[in-house]
């Protein structure tokens, strides 16, 4: 029997299809697309805008202030929902779409789903050249949107309405694939958006998507078990993939059954509670002395759901040269890094399979107890590090104040500058999955925009909790307009602006590599005659937020209590010391390029000192 059809525009068909796509979370059927973020222009408002208006009740459209911020919000929304739901972003042709490029790169690096529906030039080319078009004289088909191929897991340009039938399911499959997850970009020529086609009605029937859970190969499992059973000093690296796979329970049970110490990556920072006896702390450049103590001495390391980025591995100096890695990961690319024994599969199923076959193996008691003793030393250091009055105002002190007063289910968001390191080192995890430190792309501007997206997601599940933002003055200046978005949409945030007078962490790196302070702190900019600070309180108030400035951690505590009680976004500003406020311990070596020759002795000395640790670096094996 012939399939009944319905005549729709390309744009109408795309939105109607998205509305009909579902997934199951905890046994409940929900729409997999939570809505979208949009800024309209001539490239998307006539056709896509019309289609979205007719579905505004089921696909809520949040009006952004900047397309880059929209993309960050979509990323944080997907991260909150553990990649089981996503948002789309729609932008007009030209600069509107170009503004999404950084956000697409962030989603690509962090393996996060975001669907981009972006305007494009006319397929017919009859009106060429059109407003905001890039003309490539030798290749008229090449345009701005082609630049997104480098930062997309799926990319397509719709040149005929019928292509939607293949393109959208392929994009959705990418967005929901645990191994290849990332941003999907669909270019929509302005004329094609309005063209019609007789679509099969069956294309729009509701469909429930299930996230694939792949069992590891039996032979890989055998190799992994043999390696683990041979271990005298085993360790587990818990990455962000543990949470995406819903494997927190399995990670805990496996580590407890085998008495194996666990160290966390930045993305995996809230895989275990702070108080768990086998949580030895974060690892790597922004880690802990205890976590790095374990990493340096472990002979067999089970990495679960981590892409082993350089901040985790200390640019591959954090581990013994002969340590054997086993990498449990859904992505084949990640599972084989540094000649690891690959265990390609779902973290939840993989950990269950490992535990079933490990028998009565347990790590030597002395090894685990030593690791726990090191964690005790680190806890003592952190307690002193976050203590008010131990030095001038610092990031760590602010973190300690908030940590002591927040609800266990409040969500913490940080991204760029010095705060990711400070949060990772000093934050005590009060509940699972409550920390979002975006360090896959370490993107300035993610903090507030991402928190807005996280709060939208949080309000769907935990409306009584708060989303708390740690941001420096540099990131605030780069992107702050979603304070206004949060007030407009009633998505309350608590934003802590910790002002250290510029890009202080890069000034610190500049000094550590032998350079003098130059063009990072406002006071060190030679083109600035009269440095002054931004009035962040007045600025935030102008966007509708409650705002106040505090002088010290004690005042911060009282302001935070007021922000918790408030019914809309609050911004709290505190000055922090750019030089003397840093967490001094918990770091491994990190490879950065330093000058091999210089007229400055301080730079030559710093280069020699930096290179002295290179002998510890694993060379790909």
């Amino acid at each position: 029997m012939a399939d009944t059809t319905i005549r729709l525009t390309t744009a109408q068909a795309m939105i109607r299809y998205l509305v009909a796509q579902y997934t199951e979370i905890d046994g409940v059927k929900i729409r997999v697309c939570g809505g979208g973020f949009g800024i309209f222009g001539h490239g998307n408002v006539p056709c896509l805008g019309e289609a979205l208006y007719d579905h505004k009740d089921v696909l809520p459209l949040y009006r952004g202030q900047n397309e880059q911020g929209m993309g960050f919000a979509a990323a944080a929304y997907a991260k909150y929902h553990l990649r089981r739901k996503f948002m789309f972003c729609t932008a007009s042709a030209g600069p509107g779409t170009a503004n999404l490029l950084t956000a697409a790169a962030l989603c690509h690096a962090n393996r996060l789903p975001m669907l981009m529906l972006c305007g494009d030039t006319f397929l017919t080319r009859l009106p060429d050249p059109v407003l905001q078009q890039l003309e490539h004289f030798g290749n008229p088909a090449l345009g701005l949107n082609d630049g997104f191929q480098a930062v997309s897991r799926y990319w397509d340009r719709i040149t005929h309405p019928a292509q939607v039938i293949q393109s959208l399911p392929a994009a959705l499959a990418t967005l929901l694939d645990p191994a290849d997850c990332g941003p999907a970009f669909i270019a929509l020529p302005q004329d094609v958006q309005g063209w019609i086609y007789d679509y099969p009605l069956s294309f729009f029937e509701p469909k429930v998507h299930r996230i694939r859970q792949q069992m590891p190969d039996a032979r890989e499992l055998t190799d992994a078990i043999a390696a683990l059973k041979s271990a005298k000093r085993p360790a587990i690296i818990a990455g962000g993939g543990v949470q995406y796979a819903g494997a927190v329970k399995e990670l805990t049970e496996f580590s407890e059954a085998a008495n194996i110490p666990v160290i966390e990556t930045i993305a995996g920072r809230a895989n275990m509670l702070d108080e768990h006896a086998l949580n030895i702390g974060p690892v790597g450049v922004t880690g802990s002395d205890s976590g790095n103590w374990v990493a340096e001495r472990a002979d067999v390391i089970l990495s679960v759901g981590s892409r082993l980025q350089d901040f985790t591995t200390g640019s591959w100096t954090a581990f013994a040269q002969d340590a054997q890695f086993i990498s449990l990961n859904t992505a084949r690319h990640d599972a084989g890094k540094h000649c690891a024994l690959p265990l390609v599969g779902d973290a939840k199923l993989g950990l269950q399979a490992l535990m079933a076959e490990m028998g009565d193996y347990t790590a030597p008691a002395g090894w685990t107890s030593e690791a726990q003793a090191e964690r005790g030393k680190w806890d003592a250091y952190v307690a002193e590090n976050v203590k008010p009055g131990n030095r001038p105002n610092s990031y760590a002190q602010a973190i300690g104040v908030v940590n002591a007063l927040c609800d266990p289910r409040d969500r913490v968001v940080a991204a760029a500058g010095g705060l990711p390191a400070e949060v990772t080192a000093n934050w005590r995890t009060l509940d699972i999955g409550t920390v979002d430190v975006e360090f896959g792309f370490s993107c300035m501007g993610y903090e507030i925009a991402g928190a807005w997206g996280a709060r939208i997601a949080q309000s769907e599940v935990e409306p009584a909790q708060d989303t708390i933002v740690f941001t420096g003055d540099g990131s605030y200046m780069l992107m702050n307009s979603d304070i206004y978005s949060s007030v407009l949409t009633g998505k309350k945030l608590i934003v802590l602006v910790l002002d250290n007078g510029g890009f202080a962490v890069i000034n610190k790196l500049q000094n550590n590599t032998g350079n003098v302070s130059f063009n990072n702190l406002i006071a060190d900019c030679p083109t600035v005659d009269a440095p002054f600070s931004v009035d962040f309180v007045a600025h935030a108030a102008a966007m509708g937020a409650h705002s106040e400035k505090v002088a010290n951690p004690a005042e911060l505590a009282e302001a935070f209590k007021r922000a918790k009680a408030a019914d809309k976004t609050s911004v709290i500003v505190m000055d922090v010391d750019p030089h003397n406020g840093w967490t001094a311990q918990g770091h491994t070596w990190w490879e950065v390029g330093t000058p091999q020759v210089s007229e400055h002795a301080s730079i030559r000395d710093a280069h020699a000192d930096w290179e002295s640790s290179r002998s510890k670096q694993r060379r790909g094996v």
Side-chain angles (χ1 to χ4, degrees):
M1 177 180 285
D3 198 342
T4 305
T5 61
I6 181 172
R7 181 163 292 183
L8 298 169
T9 69
T10 300
Q12 291 164 357
M14 295 183 77
I15 301 308
R16 186 164 179 153
Y17 176 83
L18 282 179
V19 167
Q21 307 310 302
Y22 293 85
T23 189
E24 286 183 354
I25 299 179
D26 300 327
V28 178
K29 177 182 170 183
I30 60 171
R31 191 167 281 109
V32 70
C33 181
F37 299 96
I39 294 178
F40 286 136
H42 69 278
N44 62 346
V45 71
C47 298
L48 195 63
E50 184 263 351
L52 286 167
Y53 177 82
D54 288 339
H55 294 90
K56 63 182 182 298
D57 294 334
V58 290
L59 282 186
L61 183 67
Y62 291 89
R63 178 192 177 278
Q65 316 304 322
N66 179 293
E67 291 86 357
Q68 181 173 314
M70 295 186 338
F72 291 160
Y77 179 94
K79 188 180 290 190
Y80 180 93
H81 281 300
L82 301 177
R83 306 194 306 193
R84 297 175 296 181
K85 291 183 69 176
F86 67 87
M87 298 282 266
F88 68 83
C89 292
T90 180
S92 187
T97 290
N99 284 341
L100 275 169
L101 189 74
T102 301
L106 179 143
C107 288
H108 193 286
N110 286 280
R111 320 290 171 85
L112 294 171
M114 172 179 65
L115 176 62
M116 290 169 282
L117 305 174
C118 295
D120 206 344
T121 54
F122 292 86
L123 188 69
T124 63
R125 301 184 191 159
L126 291 175
D128 285 10
V130 298
L131 180 66
Q132 299 175 335
Q133 178 180 349
L134 301 181
E135 290 187 90
H136 290 270
F137 309 129
N139 186 352
L142 182 65
L144 168 78
N145 290 352
D146 294 273
F148 280 81
Q149 294 186 46
V151 292
S152 300
R153 295 284 184 179
Y154 180 86
W155 187 96
D156 198 6
R157 175 177 281 118
I158 303 299
T159 58
H160 188 280
Q163 289 177 330
V164 169
I165 299 172
Q166 281 76 38
S167 184
L168 265 183
L172 215 70
T174 302
L175 294 169
L176 298 176
D177 190 289
D180 295 328
C181 182
F185 183 94
I186 299 181
L188 298 171
Q190 294 166 61
D191 45 4
V192 178
Q193 287 183 46
W195 290 357
I196 57 172
Y197 184 73
D198 294 328
Y199 291 93
L201 269 174
S202 59
F203 181 63
F204 305 107
E205 290 178 359
K207 179 178 180 180
V208 177
H209 300 263
R210 292 180 174 86
I211 308 298
R212 183 179 300 108
Q213 290 183 290
Q214 177 182 329
M215 274 293 294
D217 180 85
R219 294 161 296 182
E220 293 183 351
L221 189 62
T222 297
D223 291 343
I225 290 166
L228 279 169
K229 284 185 174 181
S230 73
K232 295 180 175 58
R233 298 179 304 281
I236 299 171
I237 295 176
V242 172
Q243 291 178 45
Y244 293 142
V248 168
K249 177 175 176 286
E250 286 71 20
L251 170 76
T252 304
E253 290 177 347
F254 178 75
S255 64
E256 289 174 346
N259 200 35
I260 299 177
V262 177
I263 50 183
E264 292 181 321
T265 71
I266 297 174
R269 188 59 182 84
N271 281 320
M272 297 185 86
L273 299 183
D274 176 75
E275 62 191 18
H276 194 285
L278 290 171
N279 182 354
I280 309 302
V283 64
V285 178
T286 59
S288 60
D289 288 346
S290 51
N292 289 327
W293 185 94
V294 167
E296 186 177 7
R297 290 163 178 78
D299 59 351
V300 177
I301 300 157
L302 173 62
S303 172
V304 185
S306 173
R307 62 194 186 100
L308 298 175
Q309 180 226 30
D310 66 339
F311 262 64
T312 296
T313 67
S315 299
W316 288 103
T317 63
F319 309 99
Q321 295 277 359
D322 58 352
Q324 175 64 63
F325 274 81
I326 304 163
S327 190
L328 172 55
N329 205 293
T330 56
R332 173 188 57 80
H333 173 78
D334 291 320
K337 288 175 179 173
H338 272 245
C339 293
L341 292 176
L343 196 55
V344 180
D346 176 74
K348 186 185 188 80
L349 298 181
L351 287 168
Q352 289 174 347
L354 285 171
M355 188 158 61
E357 299 296 330
M358 287 293 287
D360 59 359
Y361 171 86
T362 58
W367 161 247
T368 303
S369 62
E370 281 188 89
Q372 291 168 328
E374 293 298 320
R375 175 58 198 264
K377 296 176 187 176
W378 178 251
D379 287 343
Y381 171 77
V382 170
E384 179 61 32
N385 196 42
V386 302
K387 185 182 295 183
N390 60 3
R391 59 188 184 279
N393 289 353
S394 69
Y395 284 163
Q397 293 169 357
I399 290 165
V401 166
V402 172
N403 212 170
L405 295 174
C406 71
D407 185 274
R409 288 302 307 164
D410 287 346
R411 190 169 185 82
V412 174
V413 179
L419 277 164
E422 297 293 320
V423 171
T424 301
N426 294 291
W427 186 263
R428 297 177 299 105
T429 298
L430 304 177
D431 209 339
I432 300 300
T434 54
V435 179
D436 176 3
V437 177
E438 191 291 295
F439 219 57
F441 207 54
S442 182
C443 201
M444 291 179 65
Y446 174 87
E447 296 90 341
I448 295 170
W452 179 44
R455 178 57 192 154
I456 291 170
Q458 185 186 48
S459 65
E460 298 171 357
V461 181
E462 303 171 288
Q465 306 312 136
D466 283 308
T467 297
I468 302 164
V469 185
F470 287 106
T471 184
D473 53 301
S475 281
Y476 182 101
M477 290 298 293
L478 186 76
M479 187 167 292
N480 54 61
S481 57
D482 286 314
I483 291 174
Y484 180 54
S485 301
S486 73
V487 177
L488 280 176
T489 57
K491 305 302 180 185
K492 173 193 169 185
L493 304 176
I494 300 176
V495 182
L496 279 77
V497 182
L498 302 175
D499 184 355
N500 55 23
F503 304 140
V505 75
I506 299 302
N507 179 73
K508 177 172 172 275
L509 176 63
Q510 192 172 48
N511 295 160
N512 287 347
T513 54
N515 290 275
V516 297
S517 295
F518 167 54
N519 214 56
N520 285 309
L521 299 179
I522 303 299
D524 298 322
C525 294
T527 55
V528 175
D529 293 330
F532 67 95
S533 299
V534 173
D535 187 344
F536 293 110
V537 173
H539 188 269
M543 291 188 282
H546 294 299
S547 59
E548 57 181 302
K549 186 165 186 176
V550 298
N552 51 55
E555 291 186 9
L556 173 61
E558 296 306 312
F560 185 77
K561 292 174 187 177
R562 289 189 287 272
K564 288 286 288 180
D567 59 359
K568 68 174 181 177
T569 292
S570 294
V571 176
I572 306 169
V573 183
M574 185 174 80
D575 292 340
V576 296
D577 193 282
H579 301 289
N580 300 317
W582 303 105
T583 295
Q585 296 186 26
H587 310 306
T588 62
W589 187 74
W590 181 43
E591 182 166 4
V592 295
T594 57
Q596 292 186 320
V597 296
S598 174
E599 295 181 358
H600 305 283
S602 61
I603 294 175
R604 295 195 300 270
D605 292 344
H607 172 74
D609 181 61
W610 216 278
E611 289 299 308
S612 67
S613 295
R614 187 175 296 280
S615 60
K616 298 168 61 178
Q617 190 172 43
R618 291 166 63 109
R619 299 185 181 183
V621 295

